[in-house]
Amino acid sequence: MSGREVIVLSVGGVRFVTRASTLQQFPESRLARMVNNDDREFKLVNGEFFVDRDGALFSYIMDFLRTLQVSLPTDFSDYQRLQREAEFYGLYPLADLLSQEHLLKPRLEILEVRFSLQEMQTFFRIFGSCSTTVEALAGQITVFIGQQSGQGWNSPSQKPLVPLPLERPSHHDMVFLCGTEYSAGDQFVARYVSIKPDNRKLINGTNVLGLLFDTLLKDGFRLISTRTVSSEEKVECYTFERMKRAAGLAIMVNQTPGSSGVAQARRSQVQKGK
């Protein structure tokens, strides 16, 4: 069997096809010994290895062997069972990472949007529990400023507009505004807001708020509450939340000539997608 390149396993009735080299990532594991025909508990039936274990959990073990990363779904909860499966297969570096359940669980992320409409201007302030998310959102939002005449202030094409940096009081929030304010004569200072990937430049605060909502909802957030912070100043607060996938834990396999081939785990944070 050690010369076979493709291995077929039937784990709890679920069929897996993989390379022998994938199962041999950790040479002292039972899967590696199985490939080398050194573990007789795994029976070869009609060219397939039969394993009387949980097939659904084994899919996560296969993903780990292929990527050397632990990345689980946001709704995953069987950490202890998966750890026992890893121990059964002799994948102790994986079992060690799974024992650190708090590092693998997804975390709840909160984002708060404050919206204040005052005469011809609208003020926005966005707070977030995750600075990385706020940083990414700040990269999507651009404020453009320019002087417009009283007859054409609603159109951003009348004069060239200049991008204006957002105010960033901290890593966890940002401040910007849109609308117009009186300058001199019939001139107005106009501020337009654009939110990528939408290319429009919007001056109406309600329209900007709607586009911001659409952007957050498409990014996995959901609106959980709306409240009035200050009725006198007309400040509305909208709270969003989403479950943020935990960072993957990666394992580096270090093998030196003459060693027993036991893989040593070195933990590192690997940022995954949303």
Side-chain angles (χ1 to χ4, degrees), residues 76-190:
F76 186 81
S77 60
D78 289 337
Y79 294 93
Q80 291 184 348
R81 290 183 60 216
L82 184 56
Q83 182 181 349
R84 287 198 300 268
E85 293 300 293
E87 291 171 348
F88 170 81
Y89 292 109
L91 296 169
Y92 297 108
L94 172 59
D96 180 46
L97 292 184
L98 289 168
S99 68
Q100 304 176 72
E101 184 177 329
H102 64 285
L103 297 178
L104 295 168
K105 282 186 174 180
R107 297 179 181 180
L108 183 65
E109 183 177 352
I110 301 295
L111 196 74
E112 183 179 279
V113 178
R114 294 197 175 192
F115 171 83
S116 176
L117 182 60
Q118 300 178 14
E119 296 182 352
M120 300 175 67
Q121 293 183 313
T122 306
F123 295 82
F124 290 86
R125 187 161 192 172
I126 301 175
F127 301 85
S129 60
C130 177
S131 60
T132 303
T133 297
V134 176
E135 191 72 32
L137 189 58
Q140 292 178 259
I141 299 174
T142 305
V143 176
F144 296 90
I145 187 171
Q147 281 200 334
Q148 309 291 330
S149 69
Q151 289 75 24
W153 64 269
N154 199 41
S155 172
S157 61
Q158 189 175 21
K159 291 183 180 179
L161 300 176
V162 179
L164 189 68
L166 302 179
E167 292 184 44
R168 296 296 307 277
S170 75
H171 293 295
H172 289 272
D173 63 344
M174 73 181 82
V175 179
F176 61 94
L177 62 90
C178 63
T180 62
E181 61 180 336
Y182 180 75
S183 175
D186 65 345
Q187 295 295 307
F188 288 82
V189 174

Side-chain angles (χ1 to χ4, degrees), residues 1-267:
M1 285 304 304
S2 58
R4 178 178 289 187
E5 181 180 359
V6 177
I7 303 294
V8 180
L9 301 95
S10 177
V11 184
V14 182
R15 194 168 181 266
F16 297 88
V17 181
T18 186
R19 292 179 179 272
S21 57
T22 300
L23 299 175
Q24 294 170 322
Q25 288 275 20
F26 299 88
E28 291 195 354
S29 71
R30 295 189 68 184
L31 292 171
R33 297 202 305 270
M34 176 196 72
V35 173
N36 296 326
N37 205 28
D38 291 334
D39 193 318
R40 299 189 181 279
E41 184 172 338
F42 298 114
K43 303 296 184 182
L44 189 63
V45 180
N46 296 326
E48 300 181 5
F49 282 104
F50 173 75
V51 187
D52 190 18
R53 302 294 292 191
D54 191 304
L57 291 178
F58 189 73
S59 65
Y60 299 117
I61 289 175
M62 284 302 308
D63 181 66
F64 167 75
L65 291 173
R66 288 167 175 149
T67 65
L68 297 182
Q69 294 181 14
V70 183
S71 181
L72 301 171
T74 56
D75 59 349
F76 186 81
S77 60
D78 289 337
Y79 294 93
Q80 291 184 348
R81 290 183 60 216
L82 184 56
Q83 182 181 349
R84 287 198 300 268
E85 293 300 293
E87 291 171 348
F88 170 81
Y89 292 109
L91 296 169
Y92 297 108
L94 172 59
D96 180 46
L97 292 184
L98 289 168
S99 68
Q100 304 176 72
E101 184 177 329
H102 64 285
L103 297 178
L104 295 168
K105 282 186 174 180
R107 297 179 181 180
L108 183 65
E109 183 177 352
I110 301 295
L111 196 74
E112 183 179 279
V113 178
R114 294 197 175 192
F115 171 83
S116 176
L117 182 60
Q118 300 178 14
E119 296 182 352
M120 300 175 67
Q121 293 183 313
T122 306
F123 295 82
F124 290 86
R125 187 161 192 172
I126 301 175
F127 301 85
S129 60
C130 177
S131 60
T132 303
T133 297
V134 176
E135 191 72 32
L137 189 58
Q140 292 178 259
I141 299 174
T142 305
V143 176
F144 296 90
I145 187 171
Q147 281 200 334
Q148 309 291 330
S149 69
Q151 289 75 24
W153 64 269
N154 199 41
S155 172
S157 61
Q158 189 175 21
K159 291 183 180 179
L161 300 176
V162 179
L164 189 68
L166 302 179
E167 292 184 44
R168 296 296 307 277
S170 75
H171 293 295
H172 289 272
D173 63 344
M174 73 181 82
V175 179
F176 61 94
L177 62 90
C178 63
T180 62
E181 61 180 336
Y182 180 75
S183 175
D186 65 345
Q187 295 295 307
F188 288 82
V189 174
R191 287 181 174 84
Y192 300 85
V193 173
S194 176
I195 304 178
K196 296 177 181 177
D198 195 295
N199 294 321
R200 292 175 296 168
K201 295 180 177 66
L202 305 176
I203 197 171
N204 182 282
T206 303
N207 293 339
V208 173
L209 183 66
L211 179 57
L212 179 59
F213 275 26
D214 287 344
T215 302
L216 294 175
L217 294 174
K218 289 177 181 177
D219 203 25
F221 283 96
R222 67 186 186 96
L223 181 65
I224 59 173
S225 71
T226 302
R227 72 181 192 276
T228 301
V229 178
S230 172
S231 57
E232 294 181 358
E233 298 179 2
K234 299 180 181 179
V235 180
E236 301 292 331
C237 179
Y238 305 90
T239 303
F240 295 81
E241 71 172 18
R242 73 174 174 184
M243 293 301 294
K244 185 181 180 183
R245 185 185 298 274
L249 289 178
I251 281 188
M252 301 301 295
V253 181
N254 298 321
Q255 298 184 19
T256 57
S259 69
S260 63
V262 178
Q264 301 296 322
R266 179 170 65 84
R267 300 170 187 83

